[in-house]
């Protein structure tokens, strides 16, 4: 992944609906400017996307079905190359690839299959070391990470396929945390979970974020009830950012009613 120091660029004209004031603003991990992207030459899915993902923040990306949420996550993780625009990581312009981003501390947990069902929890966690040059610190890191998940601690030798959906999600998150990530991208982690498990999952992610400083980006459809647990929100509609601001505000409430009630 070639890196070049970002050159000065004209200030973006994209409007921010509202913003949060910080005495000590968190540093930007990932920044997207003017991103246009799609799956073929004729049809774009994302239009002029501007977004900043900051350290130690839980950011949620919401929108109706087909809004481009998962596509945006794929662009962030280098699974889809944008047609136009610029991506920077820690202020360096990059052409992201999953492998290169992983080496820089950015990880993604995709939709659907969260674990290898026929492997034990411990074996699932050990997969985190497949690209490590030195695996001698795995046990130390595993012990530290598993403290976040007391329900899993006594079940390390159980098959992951015997766990509940919420517990499997915790295994997937634990597997990533062993790598000391700076940023974790999650694509609809609530799929297949009950409302209570969704709430528990978000609370656990917030707790981990608060204790470790890891940033999280979560793509979801409409999680208004969970917004108080998050720090920043983006709403996409028809491939465009229509809200960029705090996760709790009158402007966000108004935008959510406008977007979701018309669908």
């Amino acid at each position: 992944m070639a890196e070049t120091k970002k050159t000065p660029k004209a200030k973006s004209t994209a409007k921010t609906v509202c913003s949060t004031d910080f005495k000590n603003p968190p540093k930007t991990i990932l920044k997207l400017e003017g991103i246009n992207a799609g799956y073929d030459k004729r049809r774009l899915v994302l239009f002029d996307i501007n977004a900043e993902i900051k350290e130690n923040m839980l950011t949620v990306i919401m929108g109706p079905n087909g809004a481009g949420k998962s596509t945006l996550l794929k662009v962030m993780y280098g699974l889809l190359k944008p047609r136009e625009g610029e991506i920077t990581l820690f202020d360096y312009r990059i052409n992201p690839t999953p492998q290169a981003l992983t080496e820089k501390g950015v990880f993604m947990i995709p939709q659907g299959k969260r674990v290898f069902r026929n492997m034990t929890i411990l074996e699932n966690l050990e997969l985190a070391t497949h690209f490590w040059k030195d695996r001698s610190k795995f046990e130390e890191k595993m012990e530290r990470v598993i403290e976040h998940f007391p329900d899993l601690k006594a079940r390390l030798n159980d098959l992951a396929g015997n766990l509940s959906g919420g517990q499997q999600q915790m295994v997937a998150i634990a597997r990533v945390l062993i790598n000391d990530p700076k940023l974790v991208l999650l694509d609809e982690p609530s799929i297949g979970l009950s409302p209570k498990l969704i709430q528990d999952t978000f609370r656990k992610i917030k707790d981990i974020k608060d204790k470790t400083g890891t940033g999280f980006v979560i793509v979801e459809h409409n999680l208004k009830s969970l917004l108080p647990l998050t720090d920043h929100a983006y709403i996409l509609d028809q491939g465009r950012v229509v809200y960029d601001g705090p996760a709790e505000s009158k402007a966000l409430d108004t935008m959510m009613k406008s977007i979701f009630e018309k669908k």
Side-chain angles (χ1 to χ4, degrees):
M1 179 175 68
E3 297 180 351
T4 56
K5 190 66 179 177
K6 184 181 171 186
T7 55
K9 186 174 181 178
K11 187 175 181 181
S12 171
T13 58
K15 295 181 178 179
T16 300
V17 178
C18 50
S19 59
T20 302
D21 294 324
F22 296 92
K23 291 183 179 179
N24 298 301
K27 296 179 181 178
T28 297
I29 298 177
L30 197 64
K31 186 174 183 179
L32 286 74
E33 296 181 277
I35 296 295
N36 293 327
Y39 296 97
D40 56 53
K41 295 182 179 180
R42 297 182 179 180
R43 186 174 68 91
L44 288 178
V45 177
L46 300 176
F47 304 88
D48 194 28
I49 298 294
N50 296 283
E52 286 192 54
I53 308 302
K54 297 181 179 292
E55 64 179 0
N56 193 27
M57 292 186 70
L58 201 170
T59 301
V60 63
I61 300 174
M62 298 181 295
N65 291 331
K69 306 182 298 295
S70 293
T71 300
L72 177 55
L73 211 63
K74 290 176 181 177
V75 170
M76 287 182 178
Y77 198 56
L79 295 171
L80 180 64
K81 185 177 181 179
R83 202 79 53 79
E84 294 180 79
E86 183 177 289
I87 300 175
T88 55
L89 180 68
F90 301 115
D91 289 329
Y92 285 88
R93 187 185 301 118
I94 62 170
N95 295 309
T97 65
Q99 180 180 351
L101 286 171
T102 296
E103 293 173 355
K104 297 293 185 181
V106 180
F107 293 80
M108 179 175 174
I109 301 176
Q111 284 186 34
K113 295 180 180 179
R114 305 178 177 100
V115 298
F116 292 89
R117 298 176 59 84
N118 294 325
M119 299 172 67
T120 66
I121 295 173
L122 180 58
E123 288 169 338
N124 270 270
L125 297 180
E126 287 174 338
L127 291 174
T129 69
H130 75 280
F131 63 88
W132 292 10
K133 294 180 180 179
D134 179 7
R135 302 189 182 190
S136 62
K137 293 186 178 181
F138 168 73
E139 187 171 342
E140 175 188 339
K141 289 190 174 187
M142 189 270 292
E143 289 291 338
R144 173 169 47 81
V145 167
I146 208 67
E147 290 297 326
H148 294 293
F149 309 97
D151 290 348
L152 302 179
K153 192 172 183 179
R155 303 185 62 182
L156 290 176
N157 293 317
D158 289 0
L159 288 178
N162 293 335
L163 300 175
S164 68
Q167 290 171 328
Q168 290 183 20
Q169 187 65 266
M170 293 301 101
V171 172
I173 294 172
R175 188 170 58 223
V176 166
L177 289 179
I178 287 175
N179 289 287
D180 297 318
K182 295 178 175 65
L183 179 65
V184 180
L185 313 176
L186 295 98
D187 194 359
E188 300 204 41
S190 66
I191 287 180
L193 303 185
S194 68
K196 182 181 183 305
L197 285 177
I198 294 172
Q199 189 82 237
D200 291 346
T201 298
F202 263 68
R203 290 188 185 280
K204 177 60 68 175
I205 291 171
K206 182 181 185 303
D207 180 64
I208 293 169
K209 184 266 296 183
D210 291 340
K211 290 179 178 177
T212 67
T214 300
F216 286 87
V217 176
I218 301 179
V219 162
E220 282 293 354
H221 176 66
N222 180 4
L223 290 178
K224 184 177 181 179
S225 64
L226 297 179
L227 283 174
L229 299 176
T230 67
D231 301 301
H232 197 88
Y234 289 93
I235 296 181
L236 266 61
D237 189 30
Q238 298 181 27
R240 300 180 184 276
V241 173
V242 295
Y243 178 87
D244 169 3
E248 290 188 275
S249 71
K250 291 183 179 180
L252 176 58
D253 290 341
T254 300
M255 183 59 69
M256 289 189 69
K257 288 179 181 178
S258 172
I259 295 297
F260 292 106
E261 291 183 4
K262 76 180 182 180
K263 301 297 178 182

